Amino acid sequence: MTETAQTPAVDRARIAAAVTEALGDVLERDLTGLAPDTELFGELGLDSTGVLDLLLRLEDLTGCEFDTDELEMGHFATVASLTDFVLAETGS
């Protein structure tokens, strides 16, 4: 059986779904249907403590370990910016 490479759109959709799931778990509410420009801190109420929980949950969901030296607050501005960061870190 041969493996086929996923398209960038499929990878992005998979990572965006993982971001939404992780955010929902951390914030303890249903967040399905988030817009890419939804602000994590301003609109969703994510705080600095939640960032660590969010990263740990994303590591579980994606199988990727994040280098904390690479983290910038800009990565956590919106759903799209966090999705971009996770995509870059997973090499997708």
Side-chain angles (χ1 to χ4, degrees):
M1 185 157 105
T2 61
E3 285 188 35
T4 58
Q6 292 184 325
T7 65
V10 170
D11 288 341
R12 183 167 190 79
R14 181 179 59 83
I15 296 298
V19 166
T20 299
E21 181 179 341
L23 281 165
D25 290 347
V26 169
L27 298 173
E28 299 179 340
R29 60 183 186 207
D30 180 23
L31 297 175
T32 53
L34 286 178
D37 62 347
T38 301
E39 295 176 359
L40 304 187
F41 286 90
E43 291 179 60
L44 297 181
L46 185 69
D47 59 21
S48 57
T49 305
V51 168
L52 180 58
D53 291 338
L54 179 60
L55 286 174
L56 292 173
R57 184 68 184 123
L58 282 169
E59 285 181 348
D60 289 343
L61 291 171
T62 64
C64 179
E65 284 190 36
F66 300 106
D67 182 354
T68 55
D69 292 337
E70 300 292 318
L71 295 175
E72 298 175 10
M73 287 309 293
H75 295 139
F76 299 92
T78 64
V79 172
S81 65
L82 183 55
T83 299
D84 291 341
F85 171 70
V86 174
L87 274 168
E89 290 296 302
T90 60
S92 295

